[in-house]
Amino acid sequence: MSIFIELISGFCLLAGCFFCLVGAIGILRLPDIFCRLHASSLNETLGTPLILLGLIIQIGPNLISLKLLLIAIFILITNPTATHAISRASLHGGIKPLTSTKEQKLSRS
């Protein structure tokens, strides 16, 4: 049973690290604030809870696991709300979303 727990924990940790890496690359590479918000929410909503779940499985049932579970639940509740608030504030601040790519702009002219 220990090998099974190690495999599940390792998979959760690797998947969480993958989503965090993809989100970090997206924050650096994407063109506007709305795309970057999507990448950062991917990082926080998928990557962080998967890493915490992997740690919970690795540690086993105790008080630290409960604390990690509460942190994961808190992140899953607050992150979409914060991302929505930031995007609404950007829209109200006059920032327009990117609607077309450079290739589409060049083909129109």
Side-chain angles (χ1 to χ4, degrees):
M1 190 61 140
S2 176
I3 295 174
F4 181 70
I5 290 173
E6 293 286 332
L7 287 174
I8 297 295
S9 174
F11 175 75
C12 288
L13 289 169
L14 285 176
C17 289
F18 172 75
F19 282 119
C20 285
L21 179 67
V22 169
I25 292 170
I27 291 170
L28 294 174
R29 302 271 308 173
L30 291 173
D32 68 341
I33 187 169
F34 300 103
C35 295
R36 290 178 181 170
L37 275 173
H38 177 70
S40 70
S41 67
L42 171 81
N43 186 4
E44 293 175 1
T45 306
L46 288 175
T48 307
L50 277 174
I51 291 174
L52 292 174
L53 179 65
L55 291 174
I56 289 169
I57 294 170
Q58 187 75 28
I59 292 171
N62 59 16
L63 184 60
I64 295 173
S65 297
L66 178 65
K67 291 177 184 179
L68 290 174
L69 181 66
L70 290 174
I71 291 170
I73 290 170
F74 181 73
I75 287 172
L76 288 173
I77 291 171
T78 58
N79 180 45
T81 306
T83 303
H84 179 74
I86 292 170
S87 64
R88 295 270 304 190
S90 300
L91 280 175
H92 287 297
I95 298 174
K96 301 286 185 208
L98 184 65
T99 56
S100 63
T101 62
K102 290 180 183 178
E103 292 83 17
Q104 290 173 340
K105 288 180 183 177
L106 289 175
S107 66
R108 289 182 196 160
S109 55

